[in-house]
Amino acid sequence: LALVAVLCSGYLLYQKVTGVYDDCCGHVLDGRWSHWFGVPVSAFAMVMYATILAVSFPAFAIKRSAVAGSILRATAVMAAGAALWFFAILLFVEKTTCLYCITTHLCGLGIAGIVFMVTAPRFPASGALPPAAGAIGLALLIAGQLLSKPEKLEITGGASPTPKAPSAADDGSIAFTSAMRIHPDKFPTVGPAQPKHYLAELFDYTCKSCRDMYEDLKVLMKRHPDTFAVIYLPAPLNRRCNMFLPTSVRDHEHACELARASLAVWHADPSKFAAIHDYLMTTPLPIPPGDAEAKAISLVGEDAYRKAYSSATVNGTMATCFGHYGVLAKENIRMPKLLIGGGKMIQGVAPSTESFVSLMAKQFRLEGGVAPPRP
């Protein structure tokens, strides 16, 4: 059990340090509960379970039974308490699952059961000190997490001015970076016709962090209704359609079909895109392609949808989105990617809606940039 927990926590630590998240736990690892004053909690878990693994070998446990018993009693309390703490966070706060997290915590509960119900009588009694030490360690973990501030959301890129709305003097395209210009009329765009600022987002409908970003953007645009318009660039995380997807990223089921369905609605009737986009971003995953198709047909009609689904326009739009993704994913594969102009980009998702709106308010010098935290 300790070996399995070491492997799982080690893999979580690798993802946290490198920022290369798979779809299983990326949402959790991007959240505020994944660290303790900036240190990944998976690092503490890996050390704890490696210690349990080491002292549980008979060569050590028999020769130094008093020490082994004390260490196992202390770490068993910490493992069981941490498991219950993080299970509560997954269930009531994050409201999501993480296979490697759950496996690690189940191993912790199993270890605690073995230590206190099976092996404890074999070790010399050491009083209440070891369990008390474990309880103190658990209390420090919980207190530190409650007191730790969410990880800072940073904007990467240059310091040049934010993008301006297109004027009659140019071709209407927006320069988000020195090498990337995007025309709002050639991609799905949601927001006022003449916004003060354009944003462009590369996203995937099956990406949990992209769904959080969608909710963040809705709050931002509700608070500043005439300020922002968002250009949406679907970049499905599946090699069936995205040849630029790195091998370290697991294919997301149905990602290609959902993206194409939304673009088909946009091509058939641009005014209906917001409806299909909201449906695909808010409907619980997984979304069967048939359900997405049924929703799309209800919005634009079957004939228009079928014609648009395989049209050259939709094919070209997806190809362009993949091209942008391929360029931006070379340095960091995290999704979503929100281009805010001047060569600047937000990658991943904010720890809370409040931090996202506050950051954008500061970046664009807006008033009233406060929003409720993410549920």
Side-chain angles (χ1 to χ4, degrees), residues 249-261:
V249 179
R250 182 168 62 89
D251 282 330
H252 289 215
E253 188 178 13
H254 304 321
C256 300
E257 293 88 342
L258 300 186
R260 182 174 284 275

Side-chain angles (χ1 to χ4, degrees), residues 156-161 175-178 339-345:
T156 62
S160 55
F176 286 96
T177 71
S178 59
L339 300 167
I340 64 174
K344 297 182 180 182
M345 177 171 58

Side-chain angles (χ1 to χ4, degrees), residues 174-187:
I174 311 301
F176 286 96
T177 71
S178 59
M180 187 176 296
R181 300 186 69 91
I182 300 174
H183 199 297
D185 292 340
K186 296 182 180 180
F187 298 91

Side-chain angles (χ1 to χ4, degrees), residues 16 21 25-42 44 85-86 89-90 93-96 140-153 209 212 334 349-355 373-375:
K16 183 67 175 176
Y21 301 148
C25 299
H27 178 75
V28 176
L29 293 174
D30 248 345
R32 66 159 296 183
W33 305 103
S34 65
H35 65 99
W36 186 87
F37 289 112
V39 180
V41 293
S42 51
F44 294 114
W85 168 250
F86 286 113
I89 289 175
L90 286 173
V93 180
E94 297 286 3
K95 297 180 180 179
T96 187
L140 290 175
L141 168 69
I142 295 175
Q145 287 216 290
L146 293 174
L147 294 175
S148 296
K149 295 181 179 179
E151 293 179 306
K152 184 179 179 182
L153 179 67
S209 295
D212 283 339
R334 293 180 67 187
V349 66
S352 67
T353 300
E354 178 183 0
S355 62
R374 194 188 312 287

